Amino acid sequence: MTALKMLLRDWRGGELGVLFAALVIAVTIVSGISAFTTRLQNSLEQESHRFLAADRVVSSSSAVSDSWGEYALSQGLQVANTLSFPSMVYAGDEDMVLASVKAVSDNYPLRGELLRSDQPFAAPQAIAHGPAAGTVWIDSRLFALLDIDVGAQLTIGEADFSVTAAIRSEPDQGSSFLGFGPRVLMNYTDIPATEVVQVGSRVEYRLLLAGDAGALETTVEWLEPRLENGERLLDVASSQQSIGSALQRAEQFLLLAGSLGVVLAAVAIALGARRFSERHYDYVAIMKSLGATSGRIARLYGSSLLILGAAATLLGSLLGWSMQSLFFVLFGDALPVTPASSGPRPYLMGMFTALVCLASFAWPPLRRLGKISPLRVLRRDMPGMAQRTVQDYLVGLGAIILLMLWYSRDVNLTLAVLAGLACSALVAAGAATLLLRGGRLAGMRAGSIWRLALAGLQRRGAANTLQVVIFSMAIMLLLILVLVRTSLIEEWQTQLPEGTPNHFLINISPEQVNPVREALNRKAVLSQPLYPMVRGRVTHINGEALGRSDDPEEGRRERETNLTWSDAVPPNNEIIAGSWWDADSAQPLVSLEEGIADSMKIKVGDTVTYTVGARELSVTVASIRRLDWGSMQPNFFMVFPPAVLQGYPATFMTSFYLGGEEKQFLNQFIREFPTVTVIEMDVVVQQVRAIVSQVSAAIELVLGVILLAGALVLIAGVQASVDARLLESAILRALGAPRKLILGSLVIEFGVLGLFAGSLATLAAELSVYILQTQALDMSYQPSPLLWFLGPLVGITLIGGLGVWNCRRVISSPPLTVLREL
Amino acid sequence: MIKTENLLKRVEVAGGQLEILKGIDLEIKASESVAIVGASGSGKSTLLGLMAGLDEATDGKVWIDGVDLQQLDEDERALLRAEKVGFVFQSFQLLPSLTALENVMLPLELAGHSDAESRAAGFLARVELGERVTHYPSQLSGGEQQRVAIARAFAAEPVILFADEPTGNLDTETGAHIIDLLFEINREQGTTLVLVTHESRLADRCDRRVRLHAGALVEAQA
Ligand SMILES: Nc1ncnc2c1ncn2[C@@H]1O[C@H](COP(=O)(O)OP(=O)(O)O)[C@@H](O)[C@H]1O
Ligand SMILES: [Mg+2]
């Protein structure tokens, strides 16, 4: 008898179903989810490079040496150049506007795409390169400001250009859009003809580099010592906070779901293997009586497991691959990133998971088959083998912890789930022991359905306790996932609700504040308050002057920032140190954002000196705030009491929501307020929303697979008791018990088990979700009253339904079996 | 008491149909004891199962105490069994999770007796197991288990007792003792006995024997 033949026979006999399905699900979950997250991660990395329009950028206030670009080319990198400068642009004789001009070489952008439209504010289209020589693309609002149409002539310095399109977005616009005028995009080769760029003009040259990691590293190492004052190397920008945080949460959730799925599958594997081994007692006894040695039996079952594992790995990898491919095929177009490949690692992980599961959950019961006494052939009532040992449980527990840690790479998350599992197992075992085994009722109580059922529950006390533990753990894990998923999706929806501000207005002069507010009110757009803004620069901290630095992170402090004033803590801000000032305070105080305080190493109580315009201002740090970067609300690094900034030149800013069909309002608004700068963020907000909804879909998909694993555990748990019930019911029916008595008691028995398991699971789920959300996922916890109703109900229906369904043979087959040897 | 008419049992097997019983006509009177003998595989258990209403015939009729089993559904047959029929099986078929006493109480509870426990204890004493009431089947020897089964079979005082090779799993001596008990209680209660066996020594103690060969009755003797 070869292992393969035995497996095929068992497969036909339906003995392998649960074991094999559980293995396949474990592999599917692990390979599918990790392929999915790896691809998403890889593509996000690419995506963040797009926000630089390159992988690395050298930024300089003077022209960068040509030799740098040549060196990069010699290393096999792609190279592009840009130059940004402010300049007056003219249309005809009267109309002129101060614009932010950017000249780009032909291969710009190296990463990401430009968006342009044929007409101002029309539907944007992606394009891989900038304007041709002699032409320019200009900001939509510039058409209104200059009162021109596509095809008109535009003059920059000494050169004339023809306007061929509206530029809607650039991949690298994020870093420095504040404080500039409307965009004019031109070709790099046209710069000399304009004659506007002179030595000493306020310009930014950029050398864009892209290519493979090794070449980038070599080039960066070569470049770094050659950088001079005013030259900086830019790495991946972290400007895409909204997308980043949404995706990070989703990833954590998927890893959590994956870990729980693997735990569930492991339990199902253990149960399936146990039943498999029990059904092989006689077979092994006969083989041994015919002369098979223990070693031979062990080899037979060991190789069966390996074959089973290999088949499950193949099928599971295939399913996992299809699952994530299906997702990217369905939603890939809507994602702002091109999904990168995941490599073979996820599938190796799947294989490893299958091996660990087999070795630590399936092998222990099968290994003991070798110890079965051949005497069983003669005396069938002989106990089959030694019971499972403490060792088995320890091995299983160790394997679960290992898999979860290895898979989620998150200690807190693992601990939270383990705490929940331990709690549910302990409480379930305790309560079940008390209720099911205390005061054993005498007899079968076959007289009434209820008494029969309750007596049955008690008689099978030990087995039932194990079942309740397993059922409640499975239900708990499922409840955890549903709870976390719900609050995650709710959180996203509240973060970027319908009507999230998607346009910003800056450079509003104090005299324009009221007219702008009226104009926005007239249109009835949802707008935020108008925030004052004063441009200022930090010069000293605690009296110590800030030196110039080459470190790009430190470079941040040398730049001008926007200061604002407020009586109250701005909405969505959280004070994490110090305290807010009293309204009407005129004390020289400031409140700083957490990140900037960290990077400048400033604490509450430090003195910070600013240059605002030509004046100096020294203030004491009163508090540190944490901002919600995901919210798309105006955020300020530095806030002062109103009286302190009184008298400094201020402009105002605000944000508001404008639907796509209302974009024409902008034309009218710009004509009315030509000096106000409009920043359109609707494309970005749209992208974030799209990502959130797609990732939500991914989460639902994964949840579905995990639910399958949970159902499998329940089925395996129920099946464990089916054989005993079959025999019992056959005898009862032969002795004259009507079917409805047996069916009724089955329903009640499983219903009670389900009620038990459901209630315990609810308790444990609340506990773990509390730990998870407060410790691991950094979310706020809210108790879910609905759960206390839902959990037990789910328990009753699921366990009751599955139990009766799996035992249906008990009442559907004739009781004749009692006359035959079972 | 029991009557069968042209009783036929066919089952579907891999190669087509297998006729296990080929038209059995048999009549057993009240209080009569009848032995069904025949080679292994001749259809004895199948016939017993049909007469007890444990399975449905492909064709033909069975009456128990004047009731046509074909007219009854599964549950009505169960009620009839609870009321009138007792069983002793070759492999005992005690419930492993119940004590000896509880196993004997089972048919009493199904029949709705309120004094199940004391009656069961009485019957256990009758089969000389008064000391073993709290023992589980796994703690009893084969002979003791079969005695519990006999106590269970007679506890509800059935009018018919079906016994399928009751000594098949026991050694000769224990088997003889079991058979003595069975016939003793049978005589006391005046039960109709249908006994399947392949031991002629056993069959000899019955009023009558019928022989099955390949699913058909081949001879009947007084
Ligand atoms: N459900 C079934 N399917 C196929 N063959 C059956 C079935 N039930 C009984 N048989 C066959 O019918 C024959 C009679 O069986 P049985 O009544 O148990 O014989 P006995 O009790 O006389 O040994 C045997 O050959 C047995 O294999
Ligand atoms: Mg037989």
Side-chain angles (χ1 to χ4, degrees), chain B residues 147-168:
Chain B
R147 277 189 276 157
V148 175
I150 288 174
R152 181 178 69 181
F154 287 109
E157 299 180 357
V159 289
I160 308 169
L161 183 79
F162 291 103
D164 189 8
E165 310 207 25
T167 58

mmCIF file of all heavy atoms in Angstrom, chain B residues 147-168:
data_model
loop_
_atom_site.group_PDB
_atom_site.id
_atom_site.type_symbol
_atom_site.label_atom_id
_atom_site.label_comp_id
_atom_site.label_asym_id
_atom_site.label_seq_id
_atom_site.Cartn_x
_atom_site.Cartn_y
_atom_site.Cartn_z
ATOM 1 N N ARG B 147 -25.408 -9.406 29.059
ATOM 2 C CA ARG B 147 -26.455 -9.515 30.083
ATOM 3 C C ARG B 147 -27.156 -8.170 30.296
ATOM 4 O O ARG B 147 -28.368 -8.113 30.480
ATOM 5 C CB ARG B 147 -25.865 -10.026 31.398
ATOM 6 C CG ARG B 147 -25.743 -11.559 31.398
ATOM 7 C CD ARG B 147 -25.371 -12.091 32.736
ATOM 8 N NE ARG B 147 -23.924 -12.038 32.958
ATOM 9 C CZ ARG B 147 -23.361 -12.022 34.162
ATOM 10 N NH1 ARG B 147 -24.113 -12.019 35.248
ATOM 11 N NH2 ARG B 147 -22.050 -11.990 34.281
ATOM 12 N N VAL B 148 -26.386 -7.092 30.268
ATOM 13 C CA VAL B 148 -27.012 -5.758 30.346
ATOM 14 C C VAL B 148 -27.970 -5.586 29.173
ATOM 15 O O VAL B 148 -29.104 -5.112 29.320
ATOM 16 C CB VAL B 148 -25.954 -4.630 30.323
ATOM 17 C CG1 VAL B 148 -26.640 -3.261 30.270
ATOM 18 C CG2 VAL B 148 -25.036 -4.718 31.533
ATOM 19 N N ALA B 149 -27.522 -6.027 27.991
ATOM 20 C CA ALA B 149 -28.365 -5.902 26.803
ATOM 21 C C ALA B 149 -29.651 -6.709 26.962
ATOM 22 O O ALA B 149 -30.724 -6.274 26.525
ATOM 23 C CB ALA B 149 -27.589 -6.363 25.570
ATOM 24 N N ILE B 150 -29.543 -7.889 27.592
ATOM 25 C CA ILE B 150 -30.753 -8.697 27.806
ATOM 26 C C ILE B 150 -31.693 -7.996 28.788
ATOM 27 O O ILE B 150 -32.911 -7.915 28.569
ATOM 28 C CB ILE B 150 -30.363 -10.109 28.314
ATOM 29 C CG1 ILE B 150 -29.734 -10.888 27.144
ATOM 30 C CG2 ILE B 150 -31.579 -10.850 28.858
ATOM 31 C CD1 ILE B 150 -29.169 -12.233 27.565
ATOM 32 N N ALA B 151 -31.117 -7.440 29.848
ATOM 33 C CA ALA B 151 -31.940 -6.681 30.798
ATOM 34 C C ALA B 151 -32.633 -5.529 30.073
ATOM 35 O O ALA B 151 -33.816 -5.263 30.272
ATOM 36 C CB ALA B 151 -31.061 -6.143 31.930
ATOM 37 N N ARG B 152 -31.894 -4.857 29.189
ATOM 38 C CA ARG B 152 -32.474 -3.741 28.445
ATOM 39 C C ARG B 152 -33.600 -4.236 27.548
ATOM 40 O O ARG B 152 -34.642 -3.600 27.425
ATOM 41 C CB ARG B 152 -31.394 -3.052 27.603
ATOM 42 C CG ARG B 152 -31.928 -1.874 26.817
ATOM 43 C CD ARG B 152 -30.852 -1.169 26.031
ATOM 44 N NE ARG B 152 -30.355 -2.005 24.919
ATOM 45 C CZ ARG B 152 -29.397 -1.610 24.087
ATOM 46 N NH1 ARG B 152 -28.820 -0.433 24.237
ATOM 47 N NH2 ARG B 152 -29.006 -2.407 23.112
ATOM 48 N N ALA B 153 -33.376 -5.397 26.897
ATOM 49 C CA ALA B 153 -34.363 -5.915 25.957
ATOM 50 C C ALA B 153 -35.679 -6.250 26.657
ATOM 51 O O ALA B 153 -36.756 -6.005 26.129
ATOM 52 C CB ALA B 153 -33.803 -7.151 25.263
ATOM 53 N N PHE B 154 -35.592 -6.807 27.858
ATOM 54 C CA PHE B 154 -36.819 -7.218 28.538
ATOM 55 C C PHE B 154 -37.420 -6.146 29.429
ATOM 56 O O PHE B 154 -38.553 -6.268 29.867
ATOM 57 C CB PHE B 154 -36.563 -8.480 29.371
ATOM 58 C CG PHE B 154 -36.411 -9.718 28.550
ATOM 59 C CD1 PHE B 154 -35.205 -10.349 28.395
ATOM 60 C CD2 PHE B 154 -37.539 -10.242 27.895
ATOM 61 C CE1 PHE B 154 -35.085 -11.498 27.622
ATOM 62 C CE2 PHE B 154 -37.430 -11.394 27.117
ATOM 63 C CZ PHE B 154 -36.191 -12.024 26.976
ATOM 64 N N ALA B 155 -36.663 -5.078 29.716
ATOM 65 C CA ALA B 155 -37.076 -4.094 30.717
ATOM 66 C C ALA B 155 -38.455 -3.526 30.435
ATOM 67 O O ALA B 155 -39.291 -3.430 31.329
ATOM 68 C CB ALA B 155 -36.044 -2.974 30.801
ATOM 69 N N ALA B 156 -38.724 -3.184 29.174
ATOM 70 C CA ALA B 156 -40.009 -2.554 28.867
ATOM 71 C C ALA B 156 -41.082 -3.599 28.601
ATOM 72 O O ALA B 156 -42.165 -3.287 28.119
ATOM 73 C CB ALA B 156 -39.850 -1.609 27.674
ATOM 74 N N GLU B 157 -40.794 -4.872 28.946
ATOM 75 C CA GLU B 157 -41.725 -5.974 28.759
ATOM 76 C C GLU B 157 -42.348 -5.987 27.381
ATOM 77 O O GLU B 157 -43.558 -5.820 27.217
ATOM 78 C CB GLU B 157 -42.783 -5.944 29.869
ATOM 79 C CG GLU B 157 -42.103 -6.113 31.210
ATOM 80 C CD GLU B 157 -43.083 -6.087 32.382
ATOM 81 O OE1 GLU B 157 -44.295 -5.889 32.170
ATOM 82 O OE2 GLU B 157 -42.613 -6.264 33.515
ATOM 83 N N PRO B 158 -41.500 -6.194 26.341
ATOM 84 C CA PRO B 158 -41.999 -6.201 24.967
ATOM 85 C C PRO B 158 -42.794 -7.470 24.693
ATOM 86 O O PRO B 158 -42.640 -8.467 25.423
ATOM 87 C CB PRO B 158 -40.700 -6.183 24.147
ATOM 88 C CG PRO B 158 -39.709 -6.878 25.016
ATOM 89 C CD PRO B 158 -40.064 -6.512 26.429
ATOM 90 N N VAL B 159 -43.608 -7.433 23.668
ATOM 91 C CA VAL B 159 -44.329 -8.655 23.315
ATOM 92 C C VAL B 159 -43.496 -9.489 22.347
ATOM 93 O O VAL B 159 -43.710 -10.683 22.208
ATOM 94 C CB VAL B 159 -45.727 -8.366 22.708
ATOM 95 C CG1 VAL B 159 -46.651 -7.856 23.795
ATOM 96 C CG2 VAL B 159 -45.629 -7.377 21.566
ATOM 97 N N ILE B 160 -42.554 -8.844 21.642
ATOM 98 C CA ILE B 160 -41.679 -9.588 20.735
ATOM 99 C C ILE B 160 -40.227 -9.249 21.052
ATOM 100 O O ILE B 160 -39.903 -8.078 21.274
ATOM 101 C CB ILE B 160 -41.926 -9.201 19.264
ATOM 102 C CG1 ILE B 160 -43.420 -9.317 18.936
ATOM 103 C CG2 ILE B 160 -41.101 -10.064 18.333
ATOM 104 C CD1 ILE B 160 -43.771 -8.704 17.614
ATOM 105 N N LEU B 161 -39.384 -10.284 21.075
ATOM 106 C CA LEU B 161 -37.962 -10.028 21.243
ATOM 107 C C LEU B 161 -37.231 -10.544 20.009
ATOM 108 O O LEU B 161 -37.403 -11.684 19.598
ATOM 109 C CB LEU B 161 -37.431 -10.742 22.483
ATOM 110 C CG LEU B 161 -35.957 -10.442 22.760
ATOM 111 C CD1 LEU B 161 -35.812 -9.086 23.416
ATOM 112 C CD2 LEU B 161 -35.335 -11.516 23.625
ATOM 113 N N PHE B 162 -36.429 -9.634 19.400
ATOM 114 C CA PHE B 162 -35.593 -10.057 18.286
ATOM 115 C C PHE B 162 -34.166 -10.186 18.792
ATOM 116 O O PHE B 162 -33.631 -9.258 19.397
ATOM 117 C CB PHE B 162 -35.616 -9.013 17.162
ATOM 118 C CG PHE B 162 -36.937 -8.932 16.464
ATOM 119 C CD1 PHE B 162 -37.828 -7.901 16.725
ATOM 120 C CD2 PHE B 162 -37.287 -9.895 15.522
ATOM 121 C CE1 PHE B 162 -39.048 -7.826 16.060
ATOM 122 C CE2 PHE B 162 -38.505 -9.825 14.859
ATOM 123 C CZ PHE B 162 -39.386 -8.789 15.132
ATOM 124 N N ALA B 163 -33.538 -11.346 18.540
ATOM 125 C CA ALA B 163 -32.157 -11.530 18.960
ATOM 126 C C ALA B 163 -31.338 -11.955 17.748
ATOM 127 O O ALA B 163 -31.655 -12.939 17.085
ATOM 128 C CB ALA B 163 -32.073 -12.576 20.059
ATOM 129 N N ASP B 164 -30.302 -11.159 17.439
ATOM 130 C CA ASP B 164 -29.481 -11.442 16.254
ATOM 131 C C ASP B 164 -28.148 -12.014 16.708
ATOM 132 O O ASP B 164 -27.277 -11.279 17.168
ATOM 133 C CB ASP B 164 -29.283 -10.170 15.440
ATOM 134 C CG ASP B 164 -28.619 -10.458 14.091
ATOM 135 O OD1 ASP B 164 -28.458 -11.655 13.752
ATOM 136 O OD2 ASP B 164 -28.271 -9.499 13.389
ATOM 137 N N GLU B 165 -27.994 -13.342 16.600
ATOM 138 C CA GLU B 165 -26.783 -14.029 17.025
ATOM 139 C C GLU B 165 -26.276 -13.512 18.370
ATOM 140 O O GLU B 165 -25.170 -12.993 18.463
ATOM 141 C CB GLU B 165 -25.686 -13.890 15.968
ATOM 142 C CG GLU B 165 -26.213 -14.270 14.586
ATOM 143 C CD GLU B 165 -25.121 -14.769 13.667
ATOM 144 O OE1 GLU B 165 -24.109 -15.271 14.189
ATOM 145 O OE2 GLU B 165 -25.302 -14.682 12.440
ATOM 146 N N PRO B 166 -27.077 -13.665 19.421
ATOM 147 C CA PRO B 166 -26.719 -13.063 20.710
ATOM 148 C C PRO B 166 -25.446 -13.643 21.305
ATOM 149 O O PRO B 166 -24.831 -13.016 22.159
ATOM 150 C CB PRO B 166 -27.923 -13.365 21.598
ATOM 151 C CG PRO B 166 -28.602 -14.522 20.955
ATOM 152 C CD PRO B 166 -28.352 -14.402 19.488
ATOM 153 N N THR B 167 -25.044 -14.834 20.855
ATOM 154 C CA THR B 167 -23.848 -15.450 21.428
ATOM 155 C C THR B 167 -22.661 -15.382 20.472
ATOM 156 O O THR B 167 -21.596 -15.909 20.761
ATOM 157 C CB THR B 167 -24.111 -16.928 21.776
ATOM 158 O OG1 THR B 167 -24.506 -17.589 20.574
ATOM 159 C CG2 THR B 167 -25.200 -17.066 22.813
ATOM 160 N N GLY B 168 -22.877 -14.727 19.346
ATOM 161 C CA GLY B 168 -21.855 -14.724 18.290
ATOM 162 C C GLY B 168 -20.505 -14.197 18.732
ATOM 163 O O GLY B 168 -19.463 -14.616 18.236
#
